[in-house]
Structures are given as structure tokens and as C-alpha cells.
Amino acid sequence: MAEKIVALKVDVDTYAGTRDGVPNLLADLARFEVKATFFFSMGPDNSGKAVRRIFTRPGFLKKMLRTKAPAAYGIKTMLYGTLLPAPMIAASFPELLRKTEQAGHEVGIHCWDHVKWHDFLPEFPKKLTAMELGKADSLFEDIFGHRAVTTAAPGWTVSPDSLEVQDEMGLSYCSDSRGTHPFYPVMGGRRFRTLQLPTTLPTADEILGENCITPDNIHQFYASNLKEGVNVLTIHAELEGNAIRPSFVRLLERFRGDGVRCITLGETLPVLANAPSCELIMGEIAGRAGKVAIQGNSLQ
Ligand SMILES: [Zn+2]
């Protein structure tokens, strides 16, 4: 039987998630001798502004209540960028970011402003898309002393322009999408040269509260839904690193017990054979309000 492998992708969305969730994850991952790929939000935490999605995205409020998001994210985070000023995330914790890399984890860019990108990317002129990634790229280099080799879009939100800017950044790969296997994206009739490593499993916030999945048994869902070969699991510093931290520790225990090997996204690259080109479309998936980038049919 072929081995089951999990590439762990950690999205760090908020100031509190960086401050509290990242150190927790570093401790838990070290305990199990597991390495992951951390994608950091580099700029301001404008989480409070996400509240407007209640009015613009059907299903957003229901999802917030189902996943108990206010409790998971904390009241202060829910006010950043509105009643409270937006704190700068990466600039507040440069040592912690460097410590993450020094611990052997792979590091990359999630975004400059998570909420702005997630909610407005399709309306951005290309210049603004390039500016958002450019600001993140330059602060990343200041903090780590080298450029980022990978990015992962907030909320799996992409546009042909964002893919083009990523091509221009000369990255090794990106992880902006949901799908089944690595591919080169084709979007809006344009072909891009940066490999996509899509997230293959649903995220905790998409499945908690559905089909009797709870923080107590979510590890069983993941353990029984792994396929042979490489699976990509996205976790969040705010959830697995904090609000449902015991669930993630149980998952790591289960993986160890089942002989599942956990690796970084970058470590999956050397084993990749020729990746196909696939359509990339913005569409809906279960458990998530709004659209995400989804891997479509293979193209020649
Ligand atoms: Zn995110």
C-alpha cells in the first residue's frame, strides 16, 4: 500500500493568531517533530472590516455562528480596522517569524491585508494587486533576510492579475487553490507558469458543526479521509493553534499512530512528476461563504 502523506499548510490571518496561535503551533509541531509551511499576513489586521460580509455574502453569518467564530477570534480582533485601529501584524512579531523558520518550518506570504484582498481582489486594478504583494514581499525580505519562495492567497481568492504578479515574483510554487493534485493554472484564457499546490482537504471551519463533526472527533474525519500519496491540509493559527488546539494535537497523535508522514508543501516538490495545466475558476464549495479558486479540468 502506498504511503499517506500530509503536507501541512498553516494560514496565519490575524494579529492575535500570530501572537498566540503561532507559538502554540510551534510547540505542538516540535513535540511531534513535524514541519509545516507557514503563510504569514504581513500587513494590517483589518479583521473588523470582515463584518460587512454579513451584508454582502449569503451564508456568512450562518457560518460565523456555526463555527462560533466570534469566540475563536476574540472580540478585539472583531473590532480591528473599525472601532479599534488595525495593528500591523508581521512588523509586531519579527522575532517570532524568524523563530518559525529557524525551527525548520517553511515560510511564505499569505498577504499584506487579508480582509482587503479577500473581499475586493476581483475589483483591484493590477497595480493595486502588485502593490499588495509588493509590500508583503519587501517586509518579508526585511524580516527574513531573503525573498519569499511561495505565497498563498487569503480565502483562496485569486484573479488572472494576481497569478501574473506571482509569476513575476519568480516563486517556486503557490498554494492559492482547492483541488486534487498539483497543476499549472489557466485563468481567463491566460496561462501561468507558477505551479499550484492546491489544498485537497476541507478546512476545520468548513466542516465543524456539519454532519456531527465536532472539535472532539474532527481528527477522525481527517484520518479517514486521507488518500494515498500527498494530501494538503490547511490549518489556521487562530483555530488549530488556539481555539481548537486540543483537536489538532489529537490529529497529530492520530497521524503518528497511523504512520502518516507530515511534510512541508515545499518538500512535495521534488516528488512531482510533470504537472498538467488545469483551468482555475472561482466557484463555491460546501461550508464556505463566497467563492474560492477551484482546480478545473485538465487542458492540453
Ligand atoms: Zn487566511
Side-chain angles (χ1 to χ4, degrees), residues 253-272:
E253 276 165 359
R254 178 70 186 261
F255 283 165
R256 183 161 70 183
D258 290 354
V260 173
R261 192 154 59 91
C262 294
I263 62 176
T264 67
L265 282 168
E267 284 172 316
T268 70
L269 291 174
V271 297
L272 292 175

Side-chain angles (χ1 to χ4, degrees), residues 60-72:
F60 178 72
L61 183 59
K62 189 169 154 248
K63 184 193 151 194
M64 293 285 279
L65 297 173
R66 175 169 58 74
T67 58
K68 303 189 176 67

